[in-house]
Amino acid sequence: MSEKKVWLVTGARSGMSVDINGRTLPDRRRALAAGLGLGAAALLTGMPTGARAQQANPSALPQAAPNGRRRLGSLEVSALGLGCQNFAGMYGPPVDRQEAIRVMRAAYDRGVTFFDVAEVYGPFLGEEMVGEALAPIRDKVVIATKFGFDITPDGQVRGANSRPDNVKRVTEASLRRLKTDYIDLQYQHRVDPTVPIEDVAGAVQDLIREGKVRYFGLSAAGSATIRRAHRVQPVTAVQNEYSVWTRDPEIEVLATCEELGIGFVPWSPLGMGYLTGTVTPLMVHGSADLRATLPRFTPEARRANWPVVELLQRVGARKQATPGQIALAWLLARKPWIVPIPGPTTRGHMEENTDALQLQLTSADIKEIEDGFARIRVQGARLNEPMLAMIDTGAKLGTSSKGGHGMSPLPRNARQ
């Protein structure tokens, strides 16, 4: 269910069983529901959908528009996107290419039209998979990708590089891998501390004028950087980590997006799998699993943070939903311009995620989550030190860009 989950490490495949309302569900969903104490009777009633759900919850907060779409600035996308990082491997080996293609096309059949990838995923493999999967339906989907690193032809990543000449060069390579002649949404992946953001925005503006890019976005950026970029080329979306247990964007980024009319795309909306309740304290992460290097994923931290999962479980028990679905519904209820991008690698997990769109959280549900979380002190930093060092000022806890200019250096004429 998560975009960053342990099933990537184990390589396990879900078996299929349990027919509920005519639908065949994976074993994992059955086990998850049983483990959460939802009970067979609750499962067999099915999840309220559409008008029935709204009637059952008259105080439901607005989530997806009636047509299941949302707007990032002026770009219309599905209310839930598909993060494609994990197909290329991050917590284990890459997913079989044909299986990845099947999952992406099945997601489209379920209404997902927003697909997120980056040149560094693989590197390059993620874009290749997305390009092959979406080529037959290119005019019906929105493809987002990212630049911002110095990557050798053999895939060695050598730090940040958002120099305008590099931005334009790697865009051509991304277009070839994505099998398209335009990119719908192009993000700077990380703020480059050596290149003024005005220069980066200007490079993307050139690409937009040439018809190679439609919209501009920023990832892991704080308010000062967002504002500076927006003055040169309107920013359509900001993609930062955000979930029930990672609240960094609430420092300043969400307010900035709302003020400027910018959409927000939470990455890791399921807490790298932890919020699904499947990443237990006893689980051992393999050497290829990024989470093995993260302070929040030590056995001690996982044990200390388990009350977050229990909180989501309690709400889910009433909603006949898994904790991960509650975590996605919570994000969708925050603002109508928030579009999470979980990244499942199997069809069953993708279906679990999209089922969250049918959930309606009431104001009481939201209050329970907020009040419960306020009593929990999350243990461990969300990323390791080298990774946190690449996150812009104001986009991570304990920092603010107010009165400053963020990590991006000022243009030369502004320093005089």
Side-chain angles (χ1 to χ4, degrees), residues 73-93:
S74 58
L75 176 62
E76 186 176 89
V77 298
S78 52
L80 200 68
L82 186 73
C84 299
Q85 171 183 273
N86 295 340
F87 293 126
M90 179 61 72
Y91 308 99

Side-chain angles (χ1 to χ4, degrees), residues 90-114:
M90 179 61 72
Y91 308 99
V95 174
D96 174 78
R97 183 183 292 257
Q98 293 308 310
E99 178 63 17
I101 290 170
R102 281 192 288 270
V103 173
M104 283 185 264
R105 291 180 180 172
Y108 171 76
D109 290 340
R110 275 195 145 230
V112 175
T113 62
F114 184 38

Side-chain angles (χ1 to χ4, degrees), residues 1 32-39 42-43 45-48 275-276 308-327 329 359-361 365 368-369:
M1 176 171 202
L32 239 178
L36 299 181
L38 301 185
L43 279 173
T45 62
M47 185 183 299
L275 300 180
T276 68
V308 179
V309 176
E310 293 176 331
L311 172 62
L312 298 175
Q313 288 174 345
R314 288 194 296 273
V315 178
R318 294 197 307 273
K319 299 290 184 179
Q320 303 152 28
T322 64
Q325 289 172 329
I326 296 299
L359 283 171
Q360 293 289 325
L361 297 184
D365 296 329
E368 179 179 352
I369 294 171

